[in-house]
Amino acid sequence: MQRRLIFEKGAEGRYGYSLPDNGFKGFKLKQISKKYMRQSELDLPQVTEGEVIRHYTNLSQLNFGVDSGSYPLGSCTMKYNPKINEHIARQDYFTKMHPYQPIETIQGSLELMYNLEIALCNIFGMDAFSLQPAAGAHGEFTGMLIIKAYHEKNGDSKRNVVLIPDNAHGTNPASAAMAGFSIKEVKTDARGNVDIEALKASLDDTVAGLMLTNPSTLGLFEENISEIAQLVHEAGGLLYYDGANANAIMGIVRPGDMGFDVMHTNLHKTFATPHGGGGPGAGPVGVKAFLKDFLPAMRVEKNEEEEFVLTVPKDTIGRVRSYFGNFTVLVKAYCYILTMGPQGLKHASQTAIINANYLMALLKEGGYEVPYDRRCMHEFVLSTENIKKEYDVKALDIAKRLIDMGYHPPTMYFPLIVHEAMMFEPTETEAVEDVEALAKAMLDILEEAKTNPQMLHDAPLTAPVKRLDDVRAARTPVLTYKKA
Ligand SMILES: *Cc1c(COP(=O)(O)O)cnc(C)c1O
């Protein structure tokens, strides 16, 4: 039968397996019954095992990740993911559990969740956490449902507005809207803080709460957080903390102490569990004691006999995820927290902040514009608007050229209030030489912008995939492989 070669590799008649008729004397291999055998050939490429191995090994090397180089993706925290955590999460006693196993047989795993919740309460200054939400946005949505349930229980259901600063992560307004709230935007002032006058003007008895990221997505600590908390509370609203990226605050300052009532954090950013490609993640939601009864069911608690049991909070908003959430992500984060300890977490935050400030200083000194020019936290935002005006080189061109230099580009065109924004977060896991090398790459690119802008428009020049036509890719995506 003439078979097509469906991939470019290989040739007619090549095989990567061998199942000969066995002619040895003394034993006979059992034959597979004819009724179980395929009646027609499979339409597969004909390749040797060596070709297959090289193909996939080469493919794997086209990937860029935190294990291959610096990945300064602001807001997303691409820090090193310790391999010990992977090893532990992969053990049979975790992976071969079934969520419907009798509860007395999963006490160890429940204890892990119970302890992780305590650790998160300590780190963030909250009174209880739900580990169910599977992502940051999912945590926000859960938190919004809790705020809604709280106001409704108080007979205060006219509170249908959530205030959100104009530099917020896009998931904030999306989550609040999905929970049924209307969104009112609050402006940022010239120093990068919430504009207090604008906030005051927006506060009334329809406000359910304020969603805030602190440090903000500009990488700046909100200097008026105490006043903001007081104003929102006086107006009858609650404070929601977006702690997706809490890499600057661990061990230093706690949202619970800043006045926040509800929050989420991303284990897949702050607590070193891997992310990318859409997950899996975990976005635990924490609350102050007065909101504990609204948390999602089920909760892990300890009974009088010191056994771990599952409970349903009195005013629960219900389940937000099947079973126990993304359990192995919880295992990895728990391992990370235990191996770091309180001092280690604090040290991580301090190093993240120093690395970001050092990179920012090097770039500023080299001629890049920092629009909110004050000490940053774990990340900072450049504006390359001036470079665009002067040399016709966009932030996108700079980012693409960084790929040639061996870096993953930073977060781009976000927050929206900064034109030609590039948001860098080197993270604590970069050594000082790595930070300096990244700064040098950025300064070399700035030089190229002056001398050879066309090259930047064409970049990346050395990557396996060259400059893409984003619009065409979005409008006419090619979703199935066809042999060229
Ligand atoms: C990443 C991020 C989110 C959303 O988290 P996901 O897990 O991607 O849903 C929300 N807010 C901020 C500030 C973030 O950085």
Side-chain angles (χ1 to χ4, degrees):
M1 187 180 99
Q2 185 63 29
R3 286 196 301 176
R4 278 185 306 122
L5 296 172
I6 49 172
F7 300 126
E8 288 82 352
K9 296 239 155 48
E12 181 72 29
R14 282 188 201 166
Y15 291 99
Y17 64 89
S18 137
L19 293 171
D21 281 340
N22 205 298
F24 293 116
K25 283 199 184 100
F27 71 85
K28 201 163 169 242
L29 291 180
K30 213 170 170 190
Q31 291 296 311
I32 296 168
S33 158
K34 266 234 156 52
K35 72 176 182 196
Y36 296 123
M37 291 185 26
R38 290 188 61 85
Q39 299 306 305
S40 58
E41 296 276 4
L42 258 185
D43 200 7
L44 288 175
Q46 300 186 41
V47 282
T48 65
E49 182 171 336
E51 284 171 314
V52 172
I53 289 292
R54 285 186 185 162
H55 175 68
Y56 283 109
T57 302
N58 287 330
L59 272 186
S60 76
Q61 289 168 351
L62 298 182
N63 253 345
F64 189 93
V66 280
D67 291 351
S68 36
S70 295
Y71 203 135
L73 198 63
S75 196
C76 292
T77 311
M78 291 291 185
K79 63 166 95 180
Y80 175 65
N81 309 130
K83 300 299 169 264
I84 178 81
N85 304 345
E86 298 296 320
H87 175 75
I88 293 171
R90 223 173 268 153
Q91 297 306 307
D92 281 359
Y93 43 81
F94 289 133
T95 57
K96 293 201 171 153
M97 267 190 312
H98 192 281
Y100 282 149
Q101 253 173 257
I103 192 156
E104 61 274 16
T105 67
I106 56 168
Q107 288 290 305
S109 297
L110 296 181
E111 181 175 7
L112 185 149
M113 295 171 70
Y114 184 84
N115 288 350
L116 176 59
E117 183 181 338
I118 292 176
L120 293 175
C121 286
N122 272 276
I123 294 167
F124 293 108
M126 307 306 276
D127 296 314
F129 265 87
S130 166
L131 305 175
Q132 261 184 39
H138 195 192
E140 293 167 22
F141 178 63
T142 304
M144 288 297 110
L145 292 182
I146 290 172
I147 290 178
K148 196 169 187 198
Y150 167 77
H151 288 309
E152 272 168 12
K153 182 153 194 233
N154 290 342
D156 212 359
S157 44
K158 68 178 170 308
R159 293 191 179 270
N160 61 357
V161 174
V162 169
L163 304 177
I164 302 180
D166 56 6
N167 64 20
H169 196 268
T171 50
N172 290 186
S175 304
M178 273 185 68
F181 291 111
S182 338
I183 316 301
K184 210 189 259 182
E185 194 175 88
V186 185
K187 287 215 164 336
T188 300
D189 71 14
R191 260 183 82 69
N193 292 319
V194 169
D195 186 319
I196 293 284
E197 292 315 311
L199 174 65
K200 281 182 185 160
S202 307
L203 285 170
D204 58 29
D205 63 1
T206 65
V207 170
L210 168 75
M211 289 181 98
L212 202 67
T213 311
N214 188 21
S216 69
T217 60
L218 293 164
L220 301 175
F221 195 79
E222 172 55 63
E223 293 168 307
N224 307 314
I225 183 60
S226 303
E227 188 183 355
I228 291 169
Q230 197 182 344
L231 287 170
V232 173
H233 284 148
E234 274 169 12
L238 297 184
L239 252 81
Y240 184 91
Y241 184 82
D242 176 347
N245 182 343
N247 221 26
I249 63 157
M250 293 182 295
I252 299 174
V253 64
R254 310 191 308 170
D257 301 333
M258 296 182 216
F260 287 92
D261 306 296
V262 193
M263 67 164 292
H264 81 274
T265 187
N266 284 13
L267 301 187
H268 50 288
K269 290 178 182 170
T270 309
F271 297 99
T273 74
H275 61 123
V285 167
V287 294
K288 285 286 180 62
F290 73 99
L291 294 171
K292 199 172 160 183
D293 285 342
F294 297 97
L295 281 172
M298 318 285 287
R299 296 195 29 75
V300 179
E301 293 192 335
K302 231 190 233 180
N303 67 12
E304 273 133 37
E305 282 84 50
E306 299 274 301
E307 294 157 345
F308 295 99
V309 292
L310 298 176
T311 61
V312 178
K314 190 159 62 73
D315 301 312
T316 183
I317 58 164
R319 266 189 186 285
V320 296
R321 176 77 164 65
S322 53
Y323 307 121
F324 300 98
N326 279 329
F327 178 70
T328 55
V329 176
L330 308 181
V331 174
K332 292 176 205 178
Y334 184 61
C335 292
Y336 176 74
I337 290 170
L338 287 189
T339 50
M340 296 293 277
Q343 285 309 317
L345 293 177
K346 182 176 180 179
H347 188 242
S349 285
Q350 290 170 330
T351 313
I353 294 170
I354 288 174
N355 274 352
N357 276 283
Y358 186 36
L359 182 63
M360 181 173 77
L362 293 174
L363 295 185
K364 208 173 94 179
E365 202 177 83
Y368 279 99
E369 188 195 338
V370 181
Y372 294 91
D373 189 8
R374 61 172 160 114
R375 195 173 296 173
C376 70
M377 299 295 283
H378 58 299
E379 64 193 12
F380 63 92
V381 181
L382 296 181
S383 169
T384 58
E385 177 88 338
N386 56 341
I387 299 171
K388 184 172 154 190
K389 281 197 181 126
E390 221 165 312
Y391 310 113
D392 187 32
V393 166
K394 294 196 283 261
L396 184 72
D397 301 324
I398 298 172
K400 295 292 185 192
R401 184 66 178 142
L402 269 177
I403 297 173
D404 282 333
M405 305 210 171
Y407 294 97
H408 193 285
T411 296
M412 305 287 305
Y413 297 108
F414 175 76
L416 302 175
I417 56 171
V418 174
H419 295 295
E420 296 296 309
M422 298 186 88
M423 181 204 262
F424 284 91
E425 179 183 4
T427 80
E428 73 278 13
T429 49
E430 295 305 300
V432 65
E433 305 86 53
D434 298 323
V435 174
E436 287 167 354
L438 172 57
K440 181 171 183 310
M442 282 294 287
L443 299 187
D444 289 348
I445 294 172
L446 184 56
E447 206 45 46
E448 288 173 353
K450 297 171 187 169
T451 54
N452 192 357
Q454 187 53 45
M455 181 167 70
L456 300 186
H457 296 156
D458 296 338
L461 306 171
T462 58
V465 177
K466 302 291 181 293
R467 182 72 70 106
L468 293 176
D469 181 342
D470 298 354
V471 176
R472 198 160 68 98
R475 295 241 168 99
T476 50
V478 180
L479 300 176
T480 46
Y481 176 85
K482 285 201 188 72
K483 195 186 169 194

